[in-house]
Amino acid sequence: MSAPAVALAGVGLKRRYARGGFELSVDSIDVPAGETLALLGPSGSGKTTLLEILGLLQRSDAGQVLLDGRAVGMRDRAARLQMAAVFQRPHLFKGSVAANVEYGLVARRVPKRQRVERVAEALERVGLAGYEGRSALVLSGGEAQRVSLARALVLEPRVLLLDEPLASLDRLLKRQLTRDFATILADAGVTVVYVTHDQDEALVVAQRIAIMNRGRIVACGAAEEVMGLAVDEWSAQFLGVEPASQGRVTGVEQGLVTVATGGLEVFASGNPPVGADVLFAVHPEDVLLFEPGVELPLTTARNRVPVTVTSVEPRGATFYAALDAGGVKLAASVSRAAAAELGVSPGARLLAVFKATAVRWRLVNETTGAATM
Amino acid sequence: MGIYVDALREGWILLSSGTLDVWAIIVTSLRVSGAATMIALLIGIPVGLFVGLKRFVGRGVALLVFNSGMGMPPVFVGLIVAMALSRRGPFGDLSLLYSQTAMVIAQVIIATPIVMAITAAAVSAVPRELRLQARSLGAQGWRVALLTLREARMGLIAAVAGGFGSVISEVGAVQMVGGNLQGETRVMTTAIVQYTRMGRYGYALSLALVLMAMVVFVNVALTRMQTSAQQWERQ
């Protein structure tokens, strides 16, 4: 199956900030048609600036924005009419819900009868059927953000830009709306750029993720792969995982890859060339810990690695245990009960077990591309 | 207190009997101040919108001028306009001195900075993100400006009230450029001054009460517009 066409792209984008600080510098970014790309990074990493440049809402000092392969700019009204945005705060206009939702349709001179129908459809799509006549300023936070989404979706844009649309909501509402947004966006089949600093949110809504730091994209690719393989110390710290380790492929047999690193052999799956240098990592949720020398039940987990616990920190209902396996950094997510039972504490020697399919890897020379699996 | 009671009684008799040609004076006042306010709004709102929204060199100076203009003494405006329209002045040939047109010109100069300053402050308070949101939905130019004015409409109502209030109740400028000619340029404020000088307190007080009633009426109407809009927004 061929890859979907690129709907929106940025090439050589640069933006210098008047008040000093870092500059935005993005060599290349592609958003495939019909997919959601999450721009993930801490506050002030340049996500919103990149979103506004891609959305033709802010100029760039250099580079080009391409919409369906055509170079477009801020003055290109035809291109701007193919985009719509939702921001962190709903910014609803004074007036009724219907007046808000039809705002972009009025700007596009859509006849009144069509506007009424499309507004009703859009409100139904976001779960607010019958809200047309209500004042926009008395809605709850969640309702207001749904109206904001309806206001953008009603335009049936080629590209939808979402800038931290759920960041101002409480956790419960955010969790619910994240799922709803993911479903609505998938059903709409629209191309989406979604800015967030929340990893869980990014994983739920996006098929692809680009991690940004100080104006640069440090990793970009399929969501699971980017989140599972921290290519440097900063990314590891931001994602809350251990940085990827480097090894060399020493053998490939029927899709089973042997990677040598230090005195350790790690088994992965895939088909990299023998002799290639790879970065690899295992997600903490995929690592099980046992007492050393324990009789393990029959399992498909090929990797059984003696490890030393280097640190333990609480992460919500679980503990995050950082592990050292002869220089290779691993981590495990352990329940509180299991941690107490196994005596997971700094210095403890344990056995880490994980499947070959849980090992994420990519060739060393691929710095920001999608991981090769 | 007797002086007030006597004046009130006399004023009521004058108003109810129709002896005093109050209505002609009221109509002249409304015509002059109404026209001046309309022109001030036509100039002041676009300029205030531009200065409130755009960032440019000299914006701070422009705002300073507007804000200073809010406190501009009417007699100063009257003096400048009277000099400009006098025979030796640059617009002397137009023969506008002591006419309602001259009074409108003076009042426009008084009201415009007030409208500009209040409009600029009101639109500055509209979040940038709201305009960005409108642009992101395909609006541009005048449509974004119109949305900004709608969002700032409470402030605009205050601009109308401020502009009208400043000119309907001023006396210095209209006296100097209008001359208080009976049946021509006599307005409520100049008539009140004249009757007070003549010791005809009944006449003066009756007109002062009408003036007060008019100012209160306009402000009540504008305040009702504000509160009814707010009430709808909160329902």
Side-chain angles (χ1 to χ4, degrees):
Chain A
M1 202 173 78
S2 62
V6 172
L8 183 68
V11 182
L13 298 176
K14 288 191 189 298
R15 183 82 168 106
R16 194 166 290 108
Y17 294 93
R19 291 179 185 169
F22 60 86
E23 76 167 18
L24 180 86
S25 179
V26 173
D27 294 335
S28 171
I29 184 165
D30 294 342
V31 193
E35 290 194 4
T36 298
L37 168 76
L39 297 177
L40 179 65
S43 297
S45 56
K47 309 183 295 291
T48 295
T49 303
L50 178 58
L51 179 98
E52 289 185 3
I53 290 172
L54 289 172
L56 309 180
L57 296 170
Q58 189 178 146
R59 67 176 178 80
S60 63
D61 295 326
Q64 276 188 324
V65 175
L66 304 168
L67 183 63
D68 291 321
R70 185 173 69 87
V72 293
M74 284 179 72
R75 293 185 182 280
D76 190 330
R77 182 159 163 76
R80 280 188 48 208
L81 289 177
Q82 293 188 59
M83 300 182 181
V86 176
F87 295 100
Q88 181 173 346
R89 291 181 58 212
H91 294 300
L92 298 185
F93 312 137
K94 288 176 182 171
S96 68
V97 168
N100 269 273
V101 178
E102 72 172 3
Y103 185 83
L105 296 176
V106 173
R108 285 161 176 76
R109 300 180 193 281
V110 174
K112 177 73 179 170
R113 185 179 291 178
Q114 281 185 38
R115 291 206 304 265
V116 172
E117 286 172 11
R118 286 171 67 172
V119 166
E121 280 172 20
L123 286 173
E124 192 173 348
R125 187 183 273 183
V126 299
L128 293 180
Y131 272 56
E132 285 89 337
R134 295 199 189 185
S135 167
L137 301 189
V138 295
L139 301 176
S140 67
E143 288 171 342
Q145 204 53 281
R146 284 174 192 270
V147 170
S148 185
L149 181 62
R151 185 169 57 179
L153 284 175
V154 76
L155 303 174
E156 296 171 1
R158 177 86 174 113
V159 176
L160 185 57
L161 310 155
L162 300 165
D163 187 3
E164 306 244 20
L166 308 177
S168 59
L169 305 177
D170 63 66
R171 280 183 67 180
L172 184 65
L173 191 57
K174 182 176 175 176
R175 206 180 307 155
Q176 185 191 338
L177 272 190
T178 303
R179 285 197 305 269
D180 290 356
F181 267 42
T183 308
I184 293 165
L185 296 176
D187 289 349
V190 66
T191 305
V192 181
V193 182
Y194 193 109
V195 164
T196 181
H197 63 267
D198 186 320
Q199 298 166 33
D200 295 335
E201 191 180 331
L203 272 170
V204 173
V205 299
Q207 290 85 45
R208 293 167 63 79
I209 291 177
I211 298 180
M212 292 191 70
N213 180 34
R214 295 186 62 77
R216 284 170 167 72
I217 293 176
V218 295
C220 182
E224 287 288 334
E225 292 154 19
V226 169
M227 299 298 276
L229 194 78
V231 292
D232 56 23
E233 285 285 343
W234 181 87
S235 301
Q237 208 169 6
F238 175 69
L239 295 172
V241 296
E242 297 304 303
S245 300
Q246 188 168 337
R248 178 161 292 170
V249 178
T250 56
V252 180
E253 195 176 329
Q254 292 183 328
L256 183 68
V257 184
T258 307
V259 179
T261 173
L264 196 68
E265 276 195 337
V266 174
F267 299 102
S269 66
N271 279 299
V274 174
D277 289 330
V278 293
L279 288 171
F280 69 93
V282 189
H283 209 266
E285 277 75 23
D286 294 327
V287 176
L288 298 173
L289 293 180
F290 294 91
E291 288 175 354
V294 72
E295 271 302 307
L296 284 174
L298 198 61
T299 167
T300 56
R302 281 185 176 271
N303 293 290
R304 297 167 184 211
V305 182
V307 294
T308 305
V309 178
T310 53
S311 68
V312 180
E313 64 176 80
R315 293 264 176 96
T318 61
F319 281 111
Y320 177 89
L323 313 168
D324 180 77
V328 175
K329 290 181 176 176
L330 297 170
S333 183
V334 195
S335 71
R336 287 172 183 254
E341 192 181 321
L342 285 169
V344 179
S345 58
R349 292 172 183 279
L350 298 166
L351 186 68
V353 177
F354 49 94
K355 291 184 175 183
T357 52
V359 178
R360 291 170 169 88
W361 62 267
R362 79 165 175 227
L363 299 175
V364 165
N365 56 1
E366 290 183 342
T367 50
T368 57
T372 311
M373 290 290 290
Chain B
M1 288 299 289
I3 189 172
Y4 294 105
V5 175
D6 292 344
L8 270 174
R9 189 182 297 126
E10 187 187 2
W12 174 248
I13 292 166
L14 287 166
L15 282 173
S16 55
S17 67
T19 309
L20 178 63
D21 193 7
V22 175
W23 297 111
I25 295 173
I26 290 172
V27 168
T28 306
S29 296
L30 282 177
R31 187 188 295 150
V32 170
S33 296
T37 305
M38 286 303 296
I39 296 169
L41 292 174
L42 287 173
I43 300 169
I45 289 178
V47 176
L49 181 70
F50 180 83
V51 175
L53 297 185
K54 300 288 180 187
R55 297 290 177 268
F56 56 90
V57 178
R59 179 175 181 267
V61 176
L63 284 171
L64 186 69
V65 169
F66 296 169
N67 290 330
S68 303
M70 289 176 77
M72 194 156 49
V75 285
F76 172 73
V77 176
L79 174 63
I80 299 301
V81 174
M83 288 169 69
L85 300 180
S86 69
R87 277 189 195 166
R88 288 193 294 142
F91 302 106
D93 294 345
L94 300 174
S95 301
L96 289 174
L97 197 58
Y98 305 127
S99 70
Q100 289 187 10
T101 307
M103 295 159 76
V104 170
I105 292 169
Q107 291 198 342
V108 165
I109 295 171
I110 293 168
T112 301
I114 295 170
V115 175
M116 284 178 183
I118 298 176
T119 303
V123 299
S124 297
V126 175
R128 168 193 174 265
E129 291 79 7
L130 200 123
R131 284 179 278 129
L132 197 67
Q133 177 72 74
R135 282 175 49 212
S136 79
L137 296 171
Q140 59 179 7
W142 65 268
R143 202 181 287 279
V144 177
L146 206 63
L147 176 80
T148 308
L149 288 175
R150 273 194 61 201
E151 294 296 316
R153 65 173 174 244
M154 299 302 170
L156 294 186
I157 291 173
V160 176
F164 181 75
S166 68
V167 291
I168 192 74
S169 56
E170 74 85 21
V171 61
V174 283
Q175 179 88 45
M176 292 167 82
V177 302
N180 192 31
L181 305 175
Q182 189 171 9
E184 287 287 329
T185 59
R186 180 165 295 173
V187 291
M188 283 185 286
T189 51
T190 54
I192 291 166
V193 171
Q194 182 174 1
Y195 290 133
T196 304
R197 280 190 190 139
M198 294 162 69
R200 300 170 78 173
Y201 297 128
Y203 283 81
L205 195 59
S206 62
L207 281 171
L209 290 175
V210 171
L211 178 61
M212 275 302 297
M214 196 180 293
V215 170
V216 170
F217 174 78
V218 169
N219 278 286
V220 165
L222 292 172
T223 306
R224 281 190 67 118
M225 276 174 66
Q226 275 183 325
T227 49
S228 62
Q230 280 171 335
Q231 275 171 2
W232 187 87
E233 284 157 7
R234 302 290 160 205
Q235 273 171 7

